[in-house]
Amino acid sequence: MVETEGRSFSRCDWLRRSSGAGSCSELRISNQNNMMAGDESRRLQQALGVLRNILSTPETVTSLSSSLERQRTGSQAQEQHVTNNVSHSAVESELRERFRPANSQVASAGQADEGGQTGGSLRYQTQLHFGKWNSRPRKRAKTVYHDTFNKDIILLPGPSSTAVIKHRTKQQLHEHGHILNGFEFQKSWDHRTVTDQIRDAFGEKLSADVSSRMATGCLVPVRDILQDLATKIKHQKKCKFNINRSTVLDGAIRGLNEGHTIHVTLFSVRFSDDMGVPEEAVDLCGPRREFLRLLMEALPKSPMFEGEEGKLNLAFDSSEDRYFIAGRAIAVSLVHGGSPAGFLSPTLFSCLVDGPELAKPVLEDVADIDLHEKIKRVTEGKSLEDLLATTEPLDEYLANAGCLRPLRRLEDKNLLVDDILMFQVIHRVRGPFERFRDGLRTLGVLDKIQAHPESFRPLLCWSPTNLTADLLDSLFTIRLSTVGSNRRSAEEVVVPFWRDYLIDAEG
């Protein structure tokens, strides 16, 4: 109690008067709050003390750490299990959606399973409605045997052609009707029937002699081919041919050019010596054959050809008209009964038969000795460094020839050498080759060469052969005296003895 000016006040009255508001109940609540705050502070202090005691003991810390780790691991496993269940449920839903069975029983089973009821696992349902899990032996498809089959047939220039026809060449063959697509064969046909059917299918694309060759299955004798070509010669008209033995090639150029028709007529040769004195004779094929023989000997010695003797290729000469004369001279000599050329290289012969695009020149075809040695050193390189060193002297040549090729490995040398040989032997003389080939078309000789390459190969290319009596006899030209003279009678007696002697020497 508080006494003031003779009056006594309680604590509540004093507080009410001093504050101007409130009540005793409010004061009591405030006191209670203060007491609760004090209790919480004491509890907090006690908890801090207990925590300090716990953390100060190592065993207790280890135990708490293990307990927390077990709780965390269990929580992750539970989350993974839930995720797997969700994923498995999604996969099952996807499978049911994509492989939905057609009948109602399977659909109801699937719905029950999706609803949570145990209607069987997805594997059981799949096995039940889509077959067993174990693979069943498949029945082998029944083999159907046909009486026919189809193949493409390509008409090649000759049996010696080994190139694979593709791209542009195949397109050209299609345009000329040299390819039969999907030709139907009967399995019951024999060899002769197959040949006859192919021959009939190509029809006019095959000449009569090619057809006969297919029928007989052997090479057509070149003598028969040349005799057939000789029928194109006009016997009604004859022309004279003035030749000087020392300039046979010049005389051939005058008479065998494109403006004259001496190649399709019978012609008589009139020789003159170097002094201009004429040497005439009744032309019983003797002077004409001598002229053709001298011409075949002069051609390989001319600037138009180069290379090893007996294996000559075309050389680059500015006068391309001479190449036409050379081709025509070879054709005329063959058809008119003269000597064969016998000096063309296998590469040049292949160009005539199969075309220059399919030719495969070799190092021996390079006539330039210096270039030959440089190319040979390139082919003998054993490492990339050797290859780069051996190609350095050829840089200017390669640039002019358009054969520059990046060399990154040793195997690139083969491609480089092929490029050099194709340029040097084929592309460099492409113009002269075209003129030479045009000359060989005289009297249809080139077409026969392409149709019967193996028959003409011995006549145009040199090959080692055994010396026979007939071969040695063909090297000599017998010139008999005038008919009716005593010398002529004696000479006719001697000729058989000479030929008997050659036969005895051969035996």
Side-chain angles (χ1 to χ4, degrees):
M1 296 292 291
V2 180
E3 295 181 359
T4 307
E5 295 181 357
R7 295 180 63 181
S8 61
F9 297 93
S10 64
R11 185 181 297 273
C12 292
D13 293 337
W14 183 80
L15 291 173
R16 187 181 300 113
R17 290 174 179 267
S18 60
S19 60
S23 63
C24 291
S25 61
E26 293 175 353
L27 180 60
R28 293 190 187 96
I29 291 173
S30 177
N31 292 334
Q32 290 176 0
N33 290 337
N34 293 335
M35 292 176 65
M36 291 175 65
D39 293 340
E40 290 179 359
S41 178
R42 287 193 298 272
R43 292 191 188 96
L44 182 58
Q45 293 296 330
Q46 292 175 0
L48 290 174
V50 173
L51 183 58
R52 291 190 185 94
N53 293 332
I54 292 173
L55 295 177
S56 61
T57 306
E59 293 79 2
T60 305
V61 174
T62 303
S63 178
L64 288 174
S65 176
S66 301
S67 177
L68 291 174
E69 183 67 24
R70 286 194 298 271
Q71 292 180 1
R72 186 176 65 82
T73 304
S75 177
Q76 291 180 351
Q78 184 176 3
E79 292 177 358
Q80 183 67 26
H81 179 68
V82 173
T83 303
N84 292 340
N85 288 339
V86 173
S87 176
H88 182 67
S89 176
V91 171
E92 288 187 353
S93 300
E94 181 71 16
L95 288 175
R96 290 193 182 94
E97 181 67 23
R98 294 191 178 277
F99 301 99
R100 185 184 301 278
N103 53 32
S104 59
Q105 295 179 357
V106 177
S108 62
Q111 293 175 359
D113 196 31
E114 291 176 0
Q117 299 179 3
T118 58
S121 63
L122 179 63
R123 172 169 178 168
Y124 173 75
Q125 294 175 9
T126 307
Q127 179 179 355
L128 178 63
H129 302 291
F130 296 99
K132 298 180 180 180
W133 288 101
N134 297 331
S135 61
R136 292 179 297 178
R138 294 184 178 181
K139 293 183 178 180
R140 180 174 294 179
K142 186 177 180 180
T143 304
V144 180
Y145 293 95
H146 299 280
D147 296 332
T148 63
F149 63 93
N150 299 87
K151 291 289 184 180
D152 294 342
I153 304 177
I154 302 177
L155 183 60
L156 299 177
S160 62
S161 178
T162 58
V164 179
I165 305 301
K166 55 185 179 181
H167 304 311
R168 197 170 205 176
T169 306
K170 193 171 185 179
Q171 181 181 357
Q172 294 175 353
L173 292 176
H174 268 294
E175 294 174 354
H176 292 83
H178 292 171
I179 294 182
L180 300 178
N181 288 324
F183 184 79
E184 185 177 273
F185 291 87
Q186 297 285 341
K187 293 183 178 179
S188 59
W189 289 351
D190 57 5
H191 173 73
R192 183 173 296 277
T193 305
V194 171
T195 304
D196 294 340
Q197 292 294 330
I198 294 176
R199 186 176 64 251
D200 296 340
F202 280 109
E204 297 180 354
K205 300 299 178 182
L206 297 177
S207 59
D209 51 0
V210 174
S211 299
S212 62
R213 176 183 172 185
M214 292 179 63
T216 58
C218 60
L219 295 177
V220 178
V222 68
R223 183 187 299 273
D224 298 340
I225 300 174
L226 295 178
Q227 287 178 353
D228 179 61
L229 293 177
T231 58
K232 299 180 180 180
I233 299 175
K234 300 177 180 179
H235 295 266
Q236 298 81 8
K237 184 179 179 180
K238 294 183 180 181
C239 60
K240 294 182 179 180
F241 208 2
N242 298 314
I243 298 296
N244 189 300
R245 286 189 176 90
S246 61
T247 58
V248 173
L249 187 57
D250 292 337
I253 293 174
R254 293 195 309 270
L256 296 176
N257 58 34
E258 293 182 274
H260 290 184
T261 59
I262 188 174
H263 58 282
V264 296
T265 61
L266 285 177
F267 63 93
S268 61
V269 177
R270 183 178 182 183
F271 286 106
S272 62
D273 58 12
D274 294 339
M275 301 301 295
V277 179
E279 178 186 339
E280 298 187 33
V282 178
D283 193 355
L284 299 177
C285 299
R288 183 171 69 240
R289 289 182 178 178
E290 182 182 0
F291 160 69
L292 294 176
R293 177 179 61 82
L294 294 175
L295 183 57
M296 292 300 104
E297 293 176 357
L299 283 178
K301 299 177 182 178
S302 69
M304 293 181 291
F305 295 91
E306 64 179 7
E308 182 182 354
E309 183 179 1
K311 299 179 181 179
L312 300 180
N313 290 287
L314 294 178
F316 184 76
D317 191 358
S318 58
S319 179
E320 294 186 2
D321 286 337
R322 288 180 174 266
Y323 292 98
F324 177 83
I325 298 301
R328 173 165 284 187
I330 294 175
V332 169
S333 181
L334 291 175
V335 178
H336 284 264
S339 301
F343 57 83
L344 303 185
S345 69
T347 301
L348 181 55
F349 184 78
S350 176
C351 290
L352 295 173
V353 175
D354 303 324
E357 298 82 4
L358 304 179
K360 295 181 179 180
V362 295
L363 183 59
E364 288 71 18
D365 292 324
V366 179
D368 190 334
I369 299 177
D370 183 45
L371 181 60
H372 184 279
E373 291 299 323
K374 291 179 180 179
I375 299 175
K376 184 177 180 181
R377 285 195 291 268
V378 173
T379 59
E380 294 174 351
K382 301 299 182 182
S383 63
L384 182 59
E385 291 75 12
D386 295 342
L387 179 60
L388 296 176
T390 53
T391 54
E392 184 177 357
L394 291 169
D395 287 343
E396 184 177 356
Y397 174 86
L398 296 177
N400 295 330
C403 299
L404 290 175
R405 178 183 293 273
L407 303 176
R408 299 187 179 91
R409 54 180 184 174
L410 184 60
E411 289 75 11
D412 292 338
K413 69 177 182 181
N414 297 328
L415 299 176
L416 178 62
V417 171
D418 292 342
D419 291 343
I420 296 175
L421 294 178
M422 283 296 295
F423 171 78
Q424 183 68 21
V425 182
I426 305 298
H427 300 319
R428 187 175 61 95
V429 293
R430 188 60 181 268
F433 172 77
E434 296 295 339
R435 294 295 293 160
F436 180 71
R437 185 166 58 179
D438 291 341
L440 275 174
R441 297 185 190 277
T442 302
L443 296 171
V445 172
L446 180 62
D447 295 336
K448 297 299 182 180
I449 292 175
Q450 294 175 346
H452 308 278
E454 298 305 321
S455 298
F456 279 89
R457 188 184 297 273
L459 299 182
L460 300 179
C461 300
W462 177 85
S463 59
T465 56
N466 296 327
L467 186 62
T468 62
D470 293 336
L471 182 60
L472 188 59
D473 185 29
S474 64
L475 298 178
F476 295 90
T477 301
I478 300 176
R479 297 178 181 176
L480 300 176
S481 300
T482 306
V483 179
S485 63
N486 295 331
R487 296 184 62 181
R488 178 63 177 260
S489 300
E491 291 168 354
E492 290 177 350
V493 174
V494 172
V495 170
F497 288 104
W498 160 249
R499 289 174 176 167
D500 290 341
Y501 169 76
L502 295 179
I503 294 175
D504 294 338
E506 180 184 1

